[in-house]
Amino acid sequence: NAGVTQTPKFRILKIGQSMTLQCTQDMNHNYMYWYRQDPGMGLKLIYYSVGAGITDKGEVPNGYNVSRSTTEDFPLRLELAAPSQTSVYFCATQDGTSSYEQYFGPGTRLTVT
Amino acid sequence: GDSVTQMEGPVTLSEEAFLTINCTYTATGYPSLFWYVQYPGEGLQLLLKATKADDKGSNKGFEATYRKETTSFHLEKGSVQVSDSAVYFCALRRNAGNMLTFGGGTRLMVKP
């Protein structure tokens, strides 16, 4: 089992460019999350999904969009990159029924210049 | 709203020293509490948890006790190793939901 995979590992964007951060899981978990981690700060929730076709905003959704067409995939879209979006992005999954543990991917380090 | 406050790091210790990382929280009701660990270049991993007052979570020599009266969940280890060097995050989850609220993280550096 690969668990939670994220691509790319690193990316540099110019201001105004767009990109999609990919997240895929093979654990058949219903819940999926996107967090951002700024230097010296804790993780902040961007968007989450409780199942295919259902998404909702977290604490810091502005500038991002998500979709959840399958259980496995939960891509995060940045439409007009801004320097404030420079961060490390983590995807996480959770069973949502019997377990409260979240499983994290290795992260994507994004720099916007 | 919910919040988690951790002691600022970095915390630098010698091998075999005693470790305490403080964590306090603010939340309505009775949240579940967690410690996650992030090793260099990796995502977060659950280290231990406690779901009700006076519960003690433990794993890999680390312990934390859910103290409702002081709204705290301090992480302790009796003898740290170099391999414990990582960033430690305290987090809470309200019983009514699945979302986690994280503290700012505390970097631990253990020197041989």
Side-chain angles (χ1 to χ4, degrees):
Chain A
N1 282 351
V4 183
T5 58
Q6 292 183 239
T7 56
K9 286 190 178 352
F10 305 94
R11 184 73 186 268
I12 298 174
L13 280 182
K14 294 192 185 304
I15 295 171
Q17 287 185 321
S18 61
M19 76 165 294
T20 299
L21 283 66
Q22 301 292 346
C23 175
T24 300
Q25 55 115 346
D26 63 1
M27 295 184 286
N28 201 33
H29 285 172
N30 288 325
Y31 289 68
M32 295 187 76
Y33 306 84
W34 274 107
Y35 294 93
R36 58 177 287 171
Q37 182 184 24
D38 298 327
M41 307 289 286
L43 280 71
K44 293 194 182 298
L45 183 65
I46 305 171
Y47 270 95
Y48 67 99
S49 169
V50 301
I54 305 170
T55 63
D56 210 344
K57 295 177 180 179
E59 185 182 357
V60 289
N62 291 345
Y64 307 94
N65 276 301
V66 294
S67 59
R68 184 94 182 270
S69 57
T70 65
T71 298
E72 294 78 20
D73 299 305
F74 190 41
L76 177 72
R77 179 85 179 158
L78 283 70
E79 289 295 350
L80 290 171
S84 61
Q85 294 177 304
T86 294
S87 190
V88 181
Y89 292 84
F90 289 101
C91 178
T93 73
Q94 183 179 339
D95 186 340
T97 54
S98 59
S99 170
Y100 31 69
E101 178 175 356
Q102 292 191 9
Y103 296 82
F104 286 77
T108 294
R109 184 177 295 276
L110 175 67
T111 302
V112 183
T113 61
Chain B
D2 299 341
S3 67
V4 176
T5 302
Q6 292 180 232
M7 61 189 290
E8 289 195 20
V11 174
T12 304
L13 295 173
S14 298
E15 211 164 19
E16 299 184 3
F18 184 86
L19 168 71
T20 300
I21 299 178
N22 291 339
C23 170
T24 57
Y25 68 89
T26 302
T28 54
Y30 302 97
S32 297
L33 301 173
F34 307 86
W35 277 101
Y36 278 79
V37 58
Q38 183 182 28
Y39 297 105
E42 298 183 11
L44 282 69
Q45 304 171 25
L46 179 65
L47 180 60
L48 53 84
K49 64 184 183 294
T51 58
K52 60 183 187 296
D54 299 325
D55 265 2
K56 178 185 281 190
S58 61
N59 186 24
K60 300 181 181 179
F62 291 89
E63 293 183 338
T65 301
Y66 189 145
R67 301 284 188 202
K68 179 168 160 292
E69 63 278 9
T70 54
T71 61
S72 65
F73 192 54
H74 304 323
L75 182 69
E76 296 181 336
K77 187 175 185 183
S79 176
V80 293
Q81 306 299 312
V82 172
S83 57
D84 293 327
S85 297
V87 181
Y88 292 82
F89 291 92
C90 186
L92 69 82
R93 182 190 74 118
R94 270 207 237 158
N95 285 336
N98 282 299
M99 286 184 281
L100 293 174
T101 299
F102 287 89
T106 302
R107 181 176 298 279
L108 170 66
M109 297 167 52
V110 181
K111 298 184 174 179

